[in-house]
Amino acid sequence: MSENTRRRRTVARHGQLATPGPISQLLKFIAIGLAVVLVSGLGVGAYIAYDLSSTVSANAVELDGQGALPPDIGEYEGGFNLVLTGVDTCEEKYKDLFGDRCTGGDAEGTLNDVNLLVHVSQEPRRITVVSFPRDLMIPIPECTDEQGNTHSAMSKQPLNTAYTDGGLNCVVQTISELTDQEVQFAASVTFGGVIEITNAIGGVDVCLANPIKDRYTGLDMAAGTHTVEGLQALQFLRTRHGVGDGSDLGRIGNQQQYMSSLARKMISGEVLGNVPVMLKLANTALSNLEASTSLANNPMTLVQIALAVKSVPFEDIVFVQYPTGADYADPNKVVPNYEAADALWEAIAANAQLQITHENNSNDGVVVQEPTEPTQEATPDPTATPDDVVALPDSIKGNSAAQATCSNGNVR
């Protein structure tokens, strides 16, 4: 099958998610709430919900090359990885909200527009969320789609075509081969899933240093602090013309601001301490995910993940962009910066505390703000040494959940 017949043409967008008893039900809702802290972007936590009914298991995706997994996440040497992808599926209920993407000439196929690898380390627990640009030009492995059609491997294609070739499993295999990281868990979430799940958690607070007016997504927000949910939350997460230099790299920074705020909201108890909100979140998430069998078939795995991350301090929840360089064959695409990426993976493998050295500028999607109120204090580790902190190359953008950032808005 040729490349032209199997890939949707995309617009370049760069410039630079037995009936249990009362105790197990409670654990279920705690697990779902805590695990939302892990995710970002379009996902907003949908991937981490589960159900003991046959529905989730029936829709689960088997990851290629994955053998039997340990029954306890503590047995994963070096920690474990989750891949979360946000896909632009045009569901009937929401398609009228998205114009040409769902009703025009660009309505064919499904793209994985948000791609995250979430690494949870061994003790001391640290969480690193790596965002991969949608227009990152990388090899795509041979993948088989739901109809059983095999799509040949490609040496250089945009990352966001992987879902079209072979669904969630193909996204996982592509990211795993790029990073040389074994992926134990995965899930995807749609546009509609983001809308419903952000409604269920009561919205997320975001900060705008400057106004955003983006005619492409319909987002129109004044400078200041806002609580976004539903369609507006999705518009905020999708906007790229409205922040920084208008590129997808700027959009990633903006999405990471959202994730940081979400993590703080969850840990503060605003969601986890509110049983009705957690019940609503659980029920909503159950109908808005596509999960790997490793998540769907073992409910206790989710409880273990939740318990593993619930006490991670904000400074050890770090969001980074996968480092890139210009693609000289196409100015609207980017290619991997393998040298900087190697430094990132080495620091993660060493379970170091990651220090972001990149200083944001006018091209970036966010600006760093001085904190106006006390942040969560970490419990000092008496065994920690200066060697436990690794300063990442300045080509790696990002922030920790302890940092306050605001959207670097534009009116376009």
Side-chain angles (χ1 to χ4, degrees), residues 141-166:
E142 180 181 285
C143 295
T144 302
D145 62 26
E146 291 183 351
Q147 289 72 42
N149 300 315
T150 298
H151 301 272
S152 59
M154 302 292 290
S155 61
K156 187 180 182 184
Q157 288 293 316
L159 169 59
N160 74 330
T161 62
Y163 195 91
T164 301
D165 276 3

Side-chain angles (χ1 to χ4, degrees), residues 311-345:
S311 299
V312 176
F314 289 162
E315 59 264 40
D316 283 330
I317 304 174
V318 180
F319 306 93
V320 298
Q321 293 189 35
Y322 182 84
T324 62
D327 184 355
Y328 296 109
D330 186 341
N332 293 308
K333 305 292 185 182
V334 292
V335 295
N337 178 340
Y338 290 109
E339 182 178 358
D342 286 345
L344 172 63
W345 302 126

Side-chain angles (χ1 to χ4, degrees), residues 14 17 38-44 82-86 112-119 127-136 138 159-160 171 175 178-179 237 248-260 318-325 334-337 341 344-345 348 354 356 392 395-399:
H14 263 298
L17 190 262
L38 295 177
V39 305
S40 86
L42 297 181
V44 203
L82 309 91
V83 163
L84 172 67
T85 184
N112 47 298
D113 274 351
V114 173
N115 302 278
L116 309 170
L117 186 148
V118 182
H119 177 78
I127 301 170
T128 308
V129 182
V130 184
S131 297
F132 299 83
R134 47 160 286 142
D135 293 322
L136 181 64
I138 55 175
L159 169 59
N160 74 330
V171 177
I175 291 177
L178 171 66
T179 63
L237 293 166
D248 189 48
L249 301 183
R251 170 164 54 189
I252 288 174
N254 198 51
Q255 291 170 348
Q256 290 175 335
Q257 183 217 157
Y258 183 99
M259 288 189 281
S260 294
V318 180
F319 306 93
V320 298
Q321 293 189 35
Y322 182 84
T324 62
V334 292
V335 295
N337 178 340
L344 172 63
W345 302 126
I348 289 175
L354 305 183
I356 303 297
L392 297 176
S395 56
I396 299 179
K397 302 177 183 180
N399 63 273

Side-chain angles (χ1 to χ4, degrees), residues 73-96:
I73 61 170
E75 296 179 29
Y76 290 110
E77 185 176 352
F80 56 90
N81 293 309
L82 309 91
V83 163
L84 172 67
T85 184
V87 296
D88 63 357
T89 304
C90 290
E91 300 139 301
E92 187 67 27
K93 181 178 178 180
Y94 310 100
K95 68 179 184 179
D96 292 339

Side-chain angles (χ1 to χ4, degrees), residues 41-229:
L42 297 181
V44 203
Y47 82 102
I48 209 69
Y50 73 95
D51 189 86
L52 298 182
S53 70
S54 61
T55 303
V56 174
S57 295
N59 295 328
V61 175
E62 191 75 37
L63 302 182
D64 285 350
Q66 189 170 80
L69 297 177
D72 192 308
I73 61 170
E75 296 179 29
Y76 290 110
E77 185 176 352
F80 56 90
N81 293 309
L82 309 91
V83 163
L84 172 67
T85 184
V87 296
D88 63 357
T89 304
C90 290
E91 300 139 301
E92 187 67 27
K93 181 178 178 180
Y94 310 100
K95 68 179 184 179
D96 292 339
L97 300 174
F98 305 114
D100 285 347
R101 165 60 197 100
C102 293
T103 58
D106 196 34
E108 297 180 2
T110 298
L111 300 175
N112 47 298
D113 274 351
V114 173
N115 302 278
L116 309 170
L117 186 148
V118 182
H119 177 78
V120 180
S121 73
Q122 287 184 305
E123 298 290 348
R125 293 290 186 189
R126 293 188 170 103
I127 301 170
T128 308
V129 182
V130 184
S131 297
F132 299 83
R134 47 160 286 142
D135 293 322
L136 181 64
M137 301 296 287
I138 55 175
I140 306 291
E142 180 181 285
C143 295
T144 302
D145 62 26
E146 291 183 351
Q147 289 72 42
N149 300 315
T150 298
H151 301 272
S152 59
M154 302 292 290
S155 61
K156 187 180 182 184
Q157 288 293 316
L159 169 59
N160 74 330
T161 62
Y163 195 91
T164 301
D165 276 3
L168 178 61
N169 179 58
C170 193
V171 177
V172 170
Q173 299 308 312
T174 301
I175 291 177
S176 182
E177 290 191 10
L178 171 66
T179 63
D180 198 28
Q181 299 288 307
E182 182 179 356
V183 175
Q184 289 82 18
F185 311 106
S188 66
V189 66
T190 63
F191 282 172
V194 175
I195 291 173
E196 298 300 334
I197 292 167
T198 52
N199 284 339
I201 64 176
V204 173
D205 291 340
V206 296
C207 169
L208 276 64
N210 310 299
I212 293 177
K213 189 169 186 179
D214 179 3
R215 61 187 176 89
Y216 296 91
T217 61
L219 185 64
D220 189 351
M221 299 175 68
T225 300
H226 304 260
T227 300
V228 295
E229 58 185 310

Side-chain angles (χ1 to χ4, degrees), residues 346-387:
E346 288 173 5
I348 289 175
N351 198 15
Q353 185 176 80
L354 305 183
Q355 179 182 348
I356 303 297
T357 63
H358 174 80
E359 295 186 5
N360 289 20
N361 56 49
S362 60
N363 290 327
D364 293 317
V366 293
V367 295
V368 178
Q369 298 289 101
E370 292 298 326
T372 56
E373 54 187 51
T375 59
Q376 178 198 50
E377 292 185 3
T379 301
D381 180 356
T383 65
T385 70
D387 292 337

